[in-house]
Amino acid sequence: MRKILIAMLSSALLCAASPLLAQDLEGDMDVLKGALRTVEKTDNKAEMVRALSDMRTAASDAKTHTPDKLDGQPADSPEVRDYHAQMDKLIGQIDTSLKLANAGDLAGAREEAKKFAATRDEGHKKFR
């Protein structure tokens, strides 16, 4: 009986938390910003891998949203495709950094992460 009750409560909590897992674009950008700070400062492999993984998840989710500047644009418009390409570029950079971090090359991962800021600035200039 106790196992059934625990399973029911767990299911209810998971269903209630599901909307919280999907963020809006601003929330995704906040995750990217905070995780980048962690990547830049940490010397702990597990912490860096976790931050980079969080960044990848947030960037992938951000790609599913449309910036306010592009509201009303068709999904296949050049501007929206450019936004998706920008997010793909960031995801690729995160993947490269994550691969280095997983291999234990934290300095290399941090060096690759320096490219994130340039990509961010470029994206903000176009889409913010």
Side-chain angles (χ1 to χ4, degrees), residues 34-44 47-48 110 113:
L36 179 57
R37 274 194 229 126
T38 301
V39 169
E40 291 171 338
K41 294 179 182 184
T42 190
D43 288 323
N44 181 298
E47 190 174 24
M48 182 177 286
R110 211 175 348 272

Side-chain angles (χ1 to χ4, degrees), residues 55-71:
M55 288 183 79
R56 190 179 197 302
T57 300
S60 296
D61 188 55
K63 186 178 171 184
T64 66
H65 300 290
T66 305
D68 290 341
K69 190 172 183 177
L70 300 180
D71 273 348

Side-chain angles (χ1 to χ4, degrees), residues 68-114:
D68 290 341
K69 190 172 183 177
L70 300 180
D71 273 348
Q73 295 277 341
D76 62 344
S77 72
E79 294 84 3
V80 173
R81 285 196 312 250
D82 191 26
Y83 170 71
H84 289 160
Q86 189 75 19
M87 294 309 298
D88 286 337
K89 178 180 177 181
L90 177 61
I91 291 168
Q93 291 170 337
I94 293 168
D95 287 344
T96 302
S97 188
L98 187 56
K99 188 176 183 180
L100 290 166
N102 278 323
D105 183 5
L106 300 186
R110 211 175 348 272
E111 190 64 33
E112 182 67 25
K114 289 179 182 178

